[in-house]
Amino acid sequence: MPPRMTTLGEFIIEKQKDFKYSTGEFSRLINSIRLAAKTVNHEVNKAGLVDILGQTGTSNSSGEEQQKLDAYANDVFKTALTNREIICGLASEEEEDFVSIANKNGDNRNKYVVMIDPLDGSSNIDVNVSIGTIFSIYRRVTPEGTPAQLEDFLQKGTEQVAAGYILYGTSTILVYTTGHGVNGFTLNPALGTFYLSHPSIRIPEKGSIYSINEGNYAHFPQAIKNYIKYCQEIAQDRPYTSRYIGSLVSDIHRNMLKGGVYLYPSTHSHPSGKLRLLYECNPMAFITEQAGGKASTGTQRVLDVEPTELHQRVPFYCGHTAMVEKIESFF
Ligand code: AHM
Ligand code: MG
């Protein structure tokens, strides 16, 4: 008999009691994300086969060209979360503004808002490199029954009640935290079921990978130039290796399992860094801290940054605690 494997559905029900606002509403929310992830996964896997590759010709709110799959993933997650009447608001990296969501009877009694990067690393789609979805969940701060407001979204990362990512890679894995550690679930594509494959993920004690786009070297702050030199110097106790996929979810996931640090500093073209605080950095910071790691802007804990706008960017250094602290020491 094969060993009994826990499914994501079973895990959600089992852990409902750990969730401090346990109402079943939150479990339904995670369930909707699971369903949307399976749908997007299906489409991503056949991306090379159907005429869905290429660009829509429109740009997203940051002025970058949107790929067709970005738009598709955005629609899938939005529909899954909207139709089930479980959230009162949604903000997406692919959309300029947040949307307030009312139930079919017109009320706004739901408690949660979701922020999502529906398909991160989408410039990699055309070349079969792994991409991902990142999500972040908050309790609303405005009164239930009223439309969601900007302040429901501009909350510090410390206020997240859950965050996760889905990596569409050699296999599809959904990793999430509700503040009680981090667990990963791998999709069995034959059955369409996610199974608990990576329980209680902890970033390994010995980190040796640094991940950064060194092509931007000339435009990095001096502190980061110095850190890169530090990583490159040959010393017996520092045998660092460089790995950079250019797909945040993949780079972070690898570092979570193998030990390492991810860096996206400020550059000339992106003076505050490229990554978005609300859709990318906060969820990854929450997950990383829950796995025993650390996430910093170089001078501040990412989760403590006070957001001022939806599409705000911050420099991002995330991963193995000692490696992040080393980076901070260079600033
Ligand atoms: P995106 O949200 O437009 O896909 O951009 C975010 C991506 C991350 O996945 C990745 O880490 C980073 O951009 C790579 O940027 P660069 O190509 O500048 O190294
Ligand atoms: Mg992104």
Side-chain angles (χ1 to χ4, degrees):
M1 276 274 278
R4 171 88 180 80
M5 288 162 79
T6 305
T7 67
L8 173 56
E10 288 168 341
F11 188 87
I12 292 169
I13 293 167
E14 207 177 288
K15 296 291 170 190
Q16 217 179 105
K17 60 180 184 321
D18 287 353
F19 190 64
K20 64 179 169 178
Y21 311 108
S22 176
T23 57
E25 201 176 348
F26 176 77
S27 301
R28 289 202 295 130
L29 211 175
I30 294 283
N31 260 322
S32 313
I33 290 174
R34 171 184 68 158
L35 274 176
K38 283 200 277 189
T39 311
V40 171
N41 176 64
H42 184 68
E43 217 55 35
V44 165
N45 280 340
K46 63 179 190 184
L49 296 172
V50 293
D51 183 29
I52 199 161
L53 283 178
Q55 284 150 3
T56 55
T58 57
S59 294
N60 69 10
S61 53
S62 306
E64 293 145 350
E65 273 194 326
Q66 257 184 319
Q67 303 263 335
K68 277 186 190 172
L69 266 176
D70 292 21
Y72 175 82
N74 192 42
D75 284 351
V76 170
F77 277 97
K78 205 170 164 183
T79 308
L81 290 164
T82 307
N83 284 354
R84 290 168 167 254
E85 310 204 326
I86 34 178
I87 58 173
C88 65
L90 179 84
S92 163
E93 190 189 289
E94 293 300 330
E95 296 191 24
E96 187 71 42
D97 216 347
F98 69 89
V99 282
S100 172
I101 298 167
N103 291 338
K104 289 191 186 80
N105 65 7
D107 75 37
N108 297 86
R109 68 182 155 77
N110 299 324
K111 301 183 193 72
Y112 298 102
V113 296
V114 171
M115 280 182 263
I116 192 154
D117 182 351
L119 214 52
D120 182 76
S122 51
S123 61
N124 288 311
I125 294 170
D126 284 350
V127 288
N128 258 19
V129 169
S130 302
I131 47 182
T133 295
I134 310 168
F135 61 91
S136 171
I137 303 171
Y138 293 78
R139 298 260 302 186
R140 67 183 305 169
V141 292
T142 54
E144 284 172 32
T146 61
Q149 304 289 336
L150 184 59
E151 65 216 77
D152 293 315
F153 298 92
L154 298 187
Q155 299 189 51
K156 285 202 295 192
T158 46
E159 303 308 308
Q160 288 172 102
V161 295
Y165 59 76
I166 300 121
L167 172 59
Y168 311 101
T170 43
S171 59
T172 298
I173 183 166
L174 187 156
V175 173
Y176 80 99
T177 183
T178 56
H180 298 273
V182 183
N183 292 284
F185 301 82
T186 301
L187 180 67
N188 178 335
L191 303 176
T193 306
F194 282 101
Y195 290 99
L196 178 61
S197 51
H198 296 69
S200 306
I201 299 174
R202 304 289 297 172
I203 297 176
E205 263 318 307
K206 233 179 153 22
S208 61
I209 299 170
Y210 70 103
S211 313
I212 184 167
N213 184 347
E214 287 190 46
N216 294 325
Y217 185 87
H219 305 296
F220 287 153
Q222 192 57 44
I224 295 303
K225 289 181 178 171
N226 294 342
Y227 178 72
I228 292 173
K229 282 281 158 266
Y230 163 85
C231 291
Q232 291 168 339
E233 277 166 21
I234 302 160
Q236 250 186 342
D237 57 337
R238 274 193 266 131
Y240 287 161
T241 189
S242 167
R243 291 282 182 276
Y244 189 73
I245 298 169
S247 185
L248 181 68
V249 179
S250 315
D251 280 312
I252 294 275
H253 184 67
R254 183 206 48 241
N255 289 359
M256 292 256 294
L257 299 188
K258 296 204 161 178
V261 68
Y262 177 92
L263 305 89
Y264 210 110
S266 56
T267 64
H268 226 242
S269 55
H270 294 107
S272 306
K274 180 185 179 190
L275 301 179
R276 288 80 166 169
L277 175 64
L278 298 179
Y279 309 106
E280 293 163 328
C281 304
N282 272 340
M284 289 309 194
F286 187 24
I287 295 165
T288 299
E289 286 196 5
Q290 284 295 315
K294 186 166 181 168
S296 168
T297 63
T299 52
Q300 188 184 9
R301 182 185 178 209
V302 169
L303 296 181
D304 284 336
V305 175
E306 196 76 61
T308 53
E309 53 182 288
L310 279 180
H311 293 279
Q312 183 173 346
R313 300 172 196 257
V314 287
F316 191 52
Y317 308 104
C318 179
H320 186 276
T321 298
M323 293 177 87
V324 173
E325 285 172 354
K326 188 75 200 173
I327 294 169
E328 288 178 322
S329 76
F330 279 86
F331 275 92

